[in-house]
Amino acid sequence: MAKALPLSPLAQALPRLEPVAGVRLGAVAAQIRYKDRPDLMMMEFVPGTTAAGVFTRSKCPGAPIDWSRAALAQGKARALVVNSGNANVFTGRAGIIATQISAAAAARVVHCPATEVFLASTGVIGEPLDAERISDAMPGLYEGLSPEGWEDAARAIMTTDTFPKAAIRKVEIGGSTVTIQGIAKGSGMIAPDMATMLGFVVTDAAISHDILQALLVEGTERSFNAITVDSDTSTSDMVLVFATGEAGNEIVTSLADPTLVAFREALNSLLLELALMVVRDGEGATKLFTVRVSGAVSDDSAKKIALAIGNSPLVKTAIAGEDANWGRIVMAVGKSGEPANRDTLSVAIGGTWIARQGTVVEGYDETPVVDHMKGQDIDIQIDLGLANGHAQIWSCDLTHGYIDINGSYRS
């Protein structure tokens, strides 16, 4: 971006980040698109680090997605390289060559096969990525890696983000204290269909690739795949988790291992915290809203209805305008294409039931709903009254700021 964006009113401060045993990281300004600001990040992992990943379901993915999907097949990682400013998408053969150059440059300094290097890119689509800038910057970047480089890394992957995003958890596995720490970026082109942005999580726990992959898929479904800013799924989205095994616990190789319970809960919690930061930094956003749907014919149906509400421009602009127009919510339920019955439908905003069983609650007073709409965190609840399916998603309002940011993104 040509000029700095104002800080989101929903911004959250970085937590106190700590070194995670087995990883060094850092960032430099490689002048890929942004001038004189960090735009190239690297993580180096100890040998034996296992990896897990989930990727965009876009039918037009970027070259780094293809590269990292292939790298994931062996389940091991020695390095991660991420650039911002250029997504390396829709760049044809040049894009493939750029991934090869980037991975080879990282492999040379880490002394590992290029197939153990993961790549991610974010930024403008359709412009060739000058990978020579990445390879030229690589020796200096590698020289500056340190266990304390988390904040620099979080800032280097930002594009239209207004604040860096990170989270940390500490739990025990079999008597060993383990750390889980992650960073994320994202504020626009955000919709469920894998991961909706970039997220990178590292733990020093010893966990096999297969178990780590299962945990990530499970945790993603109720975090990164349950948020939406603008209903647009990116070409470049991925979430990767790396486990260095340096904590000293006996390696976990079964999902049924009782020592995994606390770790699983902590990972899910961390993924959700990062995902909600992405929504809080939605382009132009001033409010975060939660949609909870119950009484649907299935959980999948409930989620589709919740997303129809979360993605509705009319609902999102009503929230931006602090208008308690619950009719727009009913509209979104009806247009979802999922089973619904107007005569069993109930609607609540901010805990106040407006309609029950298809009719307005007798004596309904809009005052508490109007007061609730003035806050930054809005709660919408739907009961379809059909069965037991339920789901929860998170979205943000739609303001003129979204147009301002995206109308001038390439300028």
Side-chain angles (χ1 to χ4, degrees), residues 133-268:
R133 294 190 179 188
I134 293 177
S135 60
D136 289 347
M138 191 60 63
L141 172 57
Y142 183 76
E143 196 66 29
L145 298 184
S146 92
E148 288 81 26
W150 284 91
E151 181 174 347
D152 289 342
R155 293 185 181 278
I157 63 176
M158 293 167 57
T159 51
T160 58
D161 303 61
T162 70
F163 64 94
K165 303 162 182 67
I168 181 173
R169 299 288 188 275
K170 282 186 176 291
V171 293
E172 285 197 359
I173 296 182
S176 298
T177 299
V178 303
T179 301
I180 313 170
Q181 191 158 271
I183 58 176
K185 70 82 51 185
S187 55
M189 207 181 287
I190 303 295
D193 240 346
M194 175 304 325
T196 68
M197 30 56 74
L198 299 182
F200 308 109
V201 178
V202 184
T203 178
D204 53 7
I207 301 177
S208 70
H209 158 69
D210 290 346
I211 301 307
L212 197 63
Q213 183 69 29
L215 290 174
L216 177 58
V217 170
E218 174 189 270
T220 298
E221 194 57 33
R222 296 184 179 179
S223 57
F224 293 117
N225 272 350
I227 63 172
T228 180
V229 167
D230 50 21
S231 82
D232 288 333
T233 298
S234 174
T235 56
S236 307
D237 303 334
M238 71 174 74
V239 173
L240 302 175
V241 179
F242 304 96
T244 66
E246 295 289 288
N249 65 288
E250 186 174 341
I251 188 168
V252 178
T253 58
S254 170
L255 283 173
D257 190 331
T259 66
L260 194 60
V261 173
F263 180 91
R264 189 183 214 151
E265 292 178 352
L267 178 61
N268 288 345

Side-chain angles (χ1 to χ4, degrees), residues 25 76 142 214 229 304 354:
L25 66 172
K76 297 289 185 180
Y142 183 76
V229 167
K304 289 178 180 177
I354 299 167

Side-chain angles (χ1 to χ4, degrees), residues 216-409:
L216 177 58
V217 170
E218 174 189 270
T220 298
E221 194 57 33
R222 296 184 179 179
S223 57
F224 293 117
N225 272 350
I227 63 172
T228 180
V229 167
D230 50 21
S231 82
D232 288 333
T233 298
S234 174
T235 56
S236 307
D237 303 334
M238 71 174 74
V239 173
L240 302 175
V241 179
F242 304 96
T244 66
E246 295 289 288
N249 65 288
E250 186 174 341
I251 188 168
V252 178
T253 58
S254 170
L255 283 173
D257 190 331
T259 66
L260 194 60
V261 173
F263 180 91
R264 189 183 214 151
E265 292 178 352
L267 178 61
N268 288 345
S269 171
L270 179 138
L271 292 174
L272 180 57
E273 182 177 351
L274 290 175
L276 291 183
M277 286 184 196
V278 171
V279 183
R280 290 183 175 279
D281 206 13
E283 290 169 339
T286 63
K287 297 177 187 289
L288 170 77
F289 68 94
T290 304
V291 181
R292 292 178 291 151
V293 175
S294 60
V297 296
S298 67
D299 290 352
D300 182 61
S301 180
K303 189 171 185 179
K304 289 178 180 177
I305 291 169
L307 287 170
I309 297 169
N311 283 324
S312 167
L314 287 176
V315 172
K316 291 162 74 71
T317 50
I319 290 173
E322 301 179 351
D323 179 10
N325 191 343
W326 59 276
R328 293 183 177 182
I329 299 171
V330 174
M331 172 279 299
V333 173
K335 77 164 187 176
S336 69
E338 292 301 307
N341 186 332
R342 70 184 183 198
D343 297 328
T344 61
L345 182 64
S346 301
V347 180
I349 297 178
T352 298
W353 287 98
I354 299 167
R356 285 279 199 185
Q357 299 292 310
T359 188
V360 177
V361 172
E362 185 176 353
Y364 165 61
D365 179 5
E366 196 176 67
T367 303
V369 178
V370 171
D371 289 342
H372 180 73
M373 296 294 288
K374 294 177 181 178
Q376 288 187 333
D377 293 275
I378 310 302
D379 181 78
I380 296 172
Q381 190 172 349
I382 299 294
D383 186 349
L384 293 162
L386 300 178
N388 299 316
H390 64 276
Q392 179 168 290
I393 68 98
W394 294 266
S395 187
C396 61
D397 59 345
L398 179 60
T399 71
H400 203 283
Y402 184 87
I403 300 171
D404 292 339
I405 292 168
N406 284 286
S408 60
Y409 181 61

Side-chain angles (χ1 to χ4, degrees), residues 91-111:
T91 48
R93 179 64 181 166
I96 296 172
I97 294 173
T99 61
Q100 295 169 345
I101 292 173
S102 300
R108 281 195 297 272
V109 295
V110 175
H111 302 296

